[in-house]
Structures are given as structure tokens and as C-alpha cells.
Amino acid sequence: MMDRNDDDDVMADIGHALELGRAGDRGAARDALTALWDRVGDAGDALHRCTIAHHLADLQDAVADELTWDRRALAAATDLSDERAQEHHASLRVRAFLPSLHLNLADAYRRAGDVDRARQHVAVATPLAAELPDDDYGVLMRDALARVAGRLDTGSREPLARS
């Protein structure tokens, strides 16, 4: 079995959109991902919807818009199977996506001032993140969750610095 499926045009287009964002053109990246969302549709492939929505959330200027996309990403993940994710890359497991999706919601709710919902998502994400390996991703998720929890404890609505 191949580690990666390079035949998925939508995932390739997502990658191209993300390159625009990494190059500093957030608007072009947002536009490209929004066009992909329109192409895939609300009932399209769950991997595509989850990936597009997850990345679109990060490109929003308003926290309310970010929350909309974060909720869409989590909703799509509930429709996603490991088998479908592994068609894209053999290492992918849906359960490993969940800490990040809940973390993003927790942080956006925190910045929006909805402390109760933020804490609910931290409470869901924390045991899921504890199951992640002690690799870069696992450490990143656990550290970010601790930072969000700390900001909740202090009442801060300031954005987290990206590290």
C-alpha cells in the first residue's frame, strides 16, 4: 500500500491554497479554499470538508467566522472514517485529528468570551491529546491545550502566539 495518494485533486488543490497562505497571501488562500468548499459542497467528501474547513478557520479575520469553520471541521470529522483518511495517507487516524479540532474550538470560544464552551472543548481535547504519541504533534497539542487552559484561568481573550 502506498503511504500517500497523490491522485486526489482536491487535496492537491488544498495544498496549493495553503502555499499561498504560507507565502503571506492570506486573502488568496482564503479565496482558494472557499472556492474549494463551494466545489466540494456541504455534503461532499468528509476528508475534503474537514481539511478545507480546518484551514479556512485559521484564515479568518473575525473570531465568529473562525468558529463557523471550526464547527464545520469538527462536524466533517464525525463523518470521516479512518479508511477514508488512510486513502490519502496511510498514517492518518481520525481520532488523532480530534484534539486539534477541539483545541481550535476551545481557543476560538475563549477569544469570543464563551468560557463555558471553551472549557468544554478543553475537557474533551485533553484526554484525546494524552493518547497522542510523544512526537512533535503530540507535544504541540498538549502544550497548546495547556496554554489555552491557562488563558481561560486568567480570563485572557488575547490570541495565542503561534509557536
Side-chain angles (χ1 to χ4, degrees):
M1 180 167 143
M2 292 176 48
D3 280 347
R4 183 183 185 104
N5 179 355
D6 289 325
D7 295 330
D8 189 332
D9 291 340
V10 173
M11 294 303 283
D13 289 345
I14 292 168
H16 295 305
L18 296 178
E19 288 174 18
L20 293 169
R22 282 190 286 274
D25 196 344
R26 288 173 45 92
R30 187 173 44 241
D31 291 346
L33 288 172
T34 300
L36 280 171
W37 180 268
D38 292 342
R39 183 170 120 201
V40 169
D42 291 340
D45 181 286
L47 178 63
H48 297 157
R49 288 184 291 124
C50 183
T51 307
I52 293 166
H54 176 67
H55 292 295
L56 261 171
D58 292 340
L59 294 168
Q60 301 306 307
D61 294 326
V63 72
D65 296 330
E66 185 178 340
L67 277 165
T68 296
W69 288 108
D70 282 334
R71 286 190 294 259
R72 287 178 180 163
L74 183 59
T78 64
D79 296 337
L80 182 58
S81 68
D82 283 343
E83 293 76 19
R84 171 58 188 110
Q86 290 164 9
E87 287 175 14
H88 177 65
H89 196 282
S91 69
L92 295 179
R93 304 290 181 276
V94 175
R95 191 163 178 88
F97 298 175
L98 296 177
S100 177
L101 298 174
H102 283 285
L103 166 66
N104 291 347
L105 278 161
D107 190 49
Y109 278 125
R110 176 191 65 81
R111 287 182 287 116
D114 191 338
V115 173
D116 291 339
R117 282 193 180 148
R119 287 191 189 284
Q120 289 169 358
H121 284 283
V122 168
V124 172
T126 299
L128 293 169
E131 295 176 13
L132 295 172
D134 284 331
D135 58 10
D136 290 343
Y137 177 71
V139 169
L140 176 73
M141 288 299 102
R142 288 185 287 275
D143 287 350
L145 276 164
R147 289 192 343 254
V148 168
R151 294 281 175 101
L152 279 166
D153 290 343
T154 65
S156 172
R157 290 175 64 176
E158 293 299 313
L160 291 177
R162 302 268 183 201
S163 54

